[in-house]
Coordinates of all heavy atoms in Angstrom, one line a residue:
F100 N -7.7 14.2 7.6 CA -6.7 14.0 8.7 C -5.9 15.3 8.9 O -5.6 15.7 10.0 CB -5.7 12.9 8.3 CG -4.6 12.7 9.3 CD1 -4.9 12.1 10.5 CD2 -3.3 13.1 9.1 CE1 -3.9 11.9 11.5 CE2 -2.3 12.9 10.0 CZ -2.6 12.3 11.2
H104 N -5.5 17.0 12.4 CA -4.2 17.0 12.9 C -3.6 18.4 13.0 O -3.1 18.8 14.0 CB -3.3 16.0 12.2 CG -1.9 15.9 12.7 ND1 -0.9 16.6 12.3 CD2 -1.4 15.1 13.7 CE1 0.2 16.3 12.9 NE2 -0.1 15.3 13.8
E130 N -6.8 5.3 10.7 CA -6.0 4.8 9.5 C -4.9 5.8 9.1 O -3.8 5.5 8.9 CB -7.0 4.6 8.3 CG -6.2 4.1 7.1 CD -7.2 4.0 5.9 OE1 -8.1 3.1 5.9 OE2 -7.1 4.9 5.0
Q131 N -5.3 7.1 8.9 CA -4.4 8.1 8.5 C -3.3 8.4 9.5 O -2.1 8.6 9.1 CB -5.1 9.4 8.1 CG -6.0 9.3 6.9 CD -5.2 9.0 5.7 OE1 -4.2 9.7 5.4 NE2 -5.7 8.1 4.9
R132 N -3.6 8.3 10.8 CA -2.6 8.4 11.8 C -1.5 7.3 11.7 O -0.3 7.6 11.8 CB -3.2 8.4 13.2 CG -2.2 8.7 14.3 CD -2.7 8.5 15.7 NE -3.7 9.4 16.0 CZ -4.8 9.2 16.8 NH1 -4.9 8.0 17.4 NH2 -5.6 10.1 17.1
G133 N -2.0 6.1 11.5 CA -1.0 5.0 11.3 C -0.1 5.3 10.1 O 1.1 5.0 10.2
L134 N -0.7 5.7 9.0 CA 0.1 6.0 7.8 C 1.1 7.2 8.1 O 2.3 7.2 7.7 CB -0.8 6.4 6.6 CG -1.7 5.2 6.1 CD1 -2.7 5.7 5.1 CD2 -0.8 4.1 5.5
H135 N 0.6 8.2 8.8 CA 1.4 9.3 9.1 C 2.6 8.9 10.0 O 3.7 9.4 9.8 CB 0.6 10.4 9.8 CG 1.3 11.6 10.3 ND1 1.8 12.6 9.5 CD2 1.7 12.0 11.6 CE1 2.4 13.5 10.2 NE2 2.4 13.1 11.4
M136 N 2.3 8.1 11.0 CA 3.4 7.6 11.9 C 4.4 6.8 11.2 O 5.6 7.0 11.5 CB 2.8 6.8 13.1 CG 1.9 7.7 14.0 SD 2.8 9.1 14.7 CE 4.0 8.3 15.7
K137 N 4.0 6.0 10.2 CA 5.0 5.2 9.4 C 5.9 6.2 8.7 O 7.1 5.9 8.4 CB 4.3 4.3 8.5 CG 3.8 3.0 9.1 CD 3.2 2.1 8.1 CE 2.6 0.9 8.7 NZ 2.1 0.0 7.8
K138 N 5.4 7.3 8.2 CA 6.1 8.2 7.4 C 7.1 9.0 8.3 O 8.2 9.3 7.9 CB 5.2 9.2 6.7 CG 5.9 10.0 5.7 CD 4.9 10.8 4.7 CE 3.7 11.4 5.4 NZ 3.0 12.2 4.4
V139 N 6.7 9.4 9.5 CA 7.5 10.3 10.3 C 8.4 9.6 11.3 O 9.3 10.2 11.8 CB 6.7 11.4 11.0 CG1 6.0 12.3 10.0 CG2 5.7 10.8 12.0
Q140 N 8.0 8.4 11.7 CA 8.7 7.6 12.7 C 9.2 6.3 12.1 O 8.4 5.5 11.8 CB 7.8 7.4 13.9 CG 8.5 6.7 15.1 CD 7.5 6.5 16.2 OE1 6.3 6.4 16.0 NE2 8.0 6.5 17.4
P141 N 10.5 6.1 12.1 CA 11.1 4.9 11.5 C 10.7 3.7 12.4 O 10.5 3.8 13.6 CB 12.6 5.1 11.5 CG 12.8 6.2 12.5 CD 11.6 7.0 12.5
E142 N 10.6 2.5 11.7 CA 10.3 1.3 12.5 C 11.6 1.0 13.3 O 12.7 1.1 12.9 CB 10.0 0.2 11.5 CG 8.7 0.4 10.9 CD 8.3 -0.9 10.0 OE1 8.7 -2.0 10.4 OE2 7.6 -0.7 9.0

Side-chain angles (χ1 to χ4, degrees):
F100 181 75
H104 184 265
E130 176 186 290
Q131 292 297 313
R132 184 187 295 149
L134 295 170
H135 176 73
M136 292 307 291
K137 282 183 180 180
K138 188 167 46 172
V139 299
Q140 184 178 28
E142 292 186 30

